[in-house]
Amino acid sequence: MKFNTNYSNISDSYLFSTIAKKVAAYQAACPDKKVLRLGIGDVTLPLAPAVISALHSAVDEMAAKETFRGYGPEQGYGFLKDAVAGYYAERGADVKGDEIFISDGAKSDLGNILDLFDACNTVLVPDPVYPVYVDTNVMAGRKIAYMNATSQNNFLPMPDYSVDADIIYLCSPNNPTGAAYSKAQLKEWVDYAAAKGAVILYDAAYECFITDDSLARSIFQIEGARSCAIEFCSFSKMAGFTGTRCGWTVVPEELACGGLSANKMWLRRQTTKFNGVPYIVQRGAAAVFTPEGRAQIAENIGYYRQNAKLIADGLKELGIWFTGGENSPYVWLKCPGGMGSWQFFDYLLENAQVVGTPGAGFGVNGEGFFRLTAFGSREVTAEAVERIKRLLSK
Ligand code: MLT
């Protein structure tokens, strides 16, 4: 046998595993210190009551012979796909039920979708970037080209027609920078992809944080996207499903190449390799779209937005440059005193016991930057901001 040697081209440990290990080592050495975590973008509020009640009812259905369910449709139950289609229709995006594939989350699908594409395709990713886009392509041995996302372009790189690409990753609102594309900017990307015969893999996992109407909530709000884009979305950040696991991917019928339909290929892939999301979880997810569910998750998202504002206000007081935090749960700041990202990570952990994510972990252009998440509890967020203020105003 031979292993896939592409694995020797990725770092030994996934970014968030490295951080978790570093924090665990610190905590073991200093057990009396209270560490505050604003590192990984993991939610802290419990599931909404409407979701909990739907989960309970679904559990009861599984307990009775008449309502028990075994294997479900691999691409998701109709009741959930219809609810997701309704969510798109509200914002003027035409997405049909058969184009929606329910999954256990955006991260899995972002990796799995690569089964559809030849290894010789060139991938274009922004730098800094969510490490999953890069690592999954390195694992498959694909060539990766980077586009600079810097403060000069507000961390929103735009198409460069002198660069050829086949698979383009866009994440908006962006992880890690919090920057979000306007509909007009996204139209430029759709035109570029169409001109190059490329596909845009659009990660919309944070769309629910957008309040500004000029910003895109879905790439399918953009004319022409149906023939050149696939969208990934998730209940994780929208409704606190990071531990419950549910998301969806939209593969439009128009997306085709060389006589092959991406939608049919993805259906074939999913039916072969995936047995679907548990019925119970899908019932919980569907409750997110009921009027009660919508009101309850809006309240939770509002809570995280307030956290983002707390962080942003603290940084403003300290005169620290940052972006994000509006239309996004991430605040992306310049490390003070010219510190490097990992240097600032250690400094903050050792002196304030606050954990963030080093920008350098997201790419070369992330060096000298640092990410804080608004997904912590209010208490932890407020205390972390106070500790940072105390430390950095010395
Ligand atoms: C992050 O912190 O970047 C997120 O938790 C990533 C993810 O959702 O997988």
Side-chain angles (χ1 to χ4, degrees):
M1 62 84 111
K2 277 188 188 155
F3 277 134
N4 175 354
T5 52
N6 293 318
Y7 276 68
S8 19
N9 301 326
I10 49 173
S11 55
D12 284 349
S13 164
Y14 182 57
L15 173 64
F16 294 103
S17 316
T18 307
I19 293 170
K21 266 185 237 150
K22 269 176 122 20
V23 175
Y26 175 81
Q27 193 73 90
C30 310
D32 54 324
K33 300 274 194 200
K34 184 178 164 207
V35 173
L36 306 178
R37 289 176 171 77
L38 298 185
I40 190 161
D42 195 5
V43 292
T44 48
L45 289 174
L47 294 172
V51 171
I52 293 294
S53 137
L55 290 171
H56 280 302
S57 311
V59 168
D60 288 342
E61 283 183 62
M62 296 300 262
K65 195 163 177 280
E66 300 70 36
T67 48
F68 168 78
R69 312 270 178 142
Y71 290 125
E74 294 89 343
Q75 63 274 38
Y77 283 98
F79 63 80
L80 181 53
K81 294 199 299 174
D82 289 348
V84 173
Y87 187 61
Y88 279 100
E90 272 172 39
R91 59 200 56 159
D94 171 27
V95 169
K96 299 179 211 29
D98 284 349
E99 296 173 325
I100 296 163
F101 296 78
I102 306 299
S103 74
D104 69 336
K107 177 173 159 179
S108 324
D109 275 7
L110 280 157
N112 294 336
I113 199 78
L114 294 176
D115 276 10
L116 269 48
F117 301 100
D118 196 287
C120 76
N121 284 304
T122 296
V123 175
L124 183 62
V125 296
D127 174 353
V129 68
Y130 180 40
V132 172
Y133 313 155
V134 173
D135 289 356
T136 51
N137 278 291
V138 174
M139 286 171 185
R142 252 180 226 103
K143 196 172 133 217
I144 301 179
Y146 292 89
M147 46 184 166
N148 291 320
T150 64
S151 50
Q152 274 82 50
N153 57 19
N154 297 318
F155 293 97
L156 294 170
M158 295 304 295
D160 172 355
Y161 279 78
S162 70
V163 173
D164 288 325
D166 305 305
I167 301 173
I168 304 155
Y169 285 86
L170 298 178
C171 174
S172 179
N174 188 264
N175 179 11
T177 68
Y181 282 112
S182 69
K183 290 176 192 157
Q185 288 172 314
L186 217 45
K187 173 73 179 132
E188 289 188 41
W189 273 112
V190 167
D191 291 346
Y192 168 85
K196 297 283 180 186
V199 64
I200 296 174
L201 302 183
Y202 190 76
D203 184 348
Y206 301 96
E207 60 79 30
C208 61
F209 282 88
I210 291 178
T211 48
D212 178 344
D213 247 6
S214 68
L215 303 177
R217 298 279 303 259
S218 161
I219 196 160
F220 298 115
Q221 291 177 306
I222 311 302
E223 201 196 320
R226 288 182 53 85
S227 47
C228 66
I230 295 176
E231 179 163 299
F232 304 84
C233 206
S234 167
F235 291 94
S236 283
K237 316 295 156 109
M238 172 204 233
F241 272 58
T242 52
T244 308
R245 309 306 313 149
C246 198
W248 73 85
T249 291
V250 177
V251 188
E253 274 159 12
E254 284 91 324
L255 182 63
C257 176
L260 291 170
S261 144
N263 181 287
K264 289 207 174 77
M265 287 170 77
W266 185 240
L267 178 63
R268 185 71 175 84
R269 191 265 173 216
Q270 291 298 79
T271 48
T272 307
K273 295 195 184 183
F274 184 55
N275 262 336
V277 174
Y279 171 73
I280 298 165
V281 172
Q282 292 192 55
R283 276 291 177 203
V288 166
F289 297 112
T290 60
E292 314 79 69
R294 291 291 286 269
Q296 291 160 358
I297 64 157
E299 209 169 294
N300 291 358
I301 293 166
Y303 174 97
Y304 295 134
R305 278 203 190 101
Q306 271 302 113
N307 283 350
K309 187 170 177 327
L310 263 180
I311 298 170
D313 288 348
L315 294 175
K316 267 185 214 153
E317 261 181 61
L318 288 165
I320 292 178
W321 185 95
F322 70 93
T323 181
E326 269 178 37
N327 298 296
S328 157
Y330 294 125
V331 178
W332 179 250
L333 59 116
K334 186 114 189 78
C335 299
M339 271 189 258
S341 298
W342 283 103
Q343 192 188 359
F344 186 55
F345 174 88
D346 290 334
Y347 180 72
L348 212 52
L349 179 60
E350 282 156 26
N351 298 290
Q353 291 75 49
V354 172
V355 181
T357 308
F362 298 100
V364 177
N365 289 327
E367 182 53 276
F369 290 89
F370 200 72
R371 193 194 78 175
L372 292 172
T373 147
F375 287 120
S377 71
R378 177 63 41 77
E379 300 67 35
V380 163
T381 308
E383 193 179 335
V385 169
E386 282 316 307
R387 288 190 195 177
I388 293 172
K389 283 205 290 200
R390 233 176 293 136
L391 178 68
L392 299 181
S393 56
K394 270 188 196 158

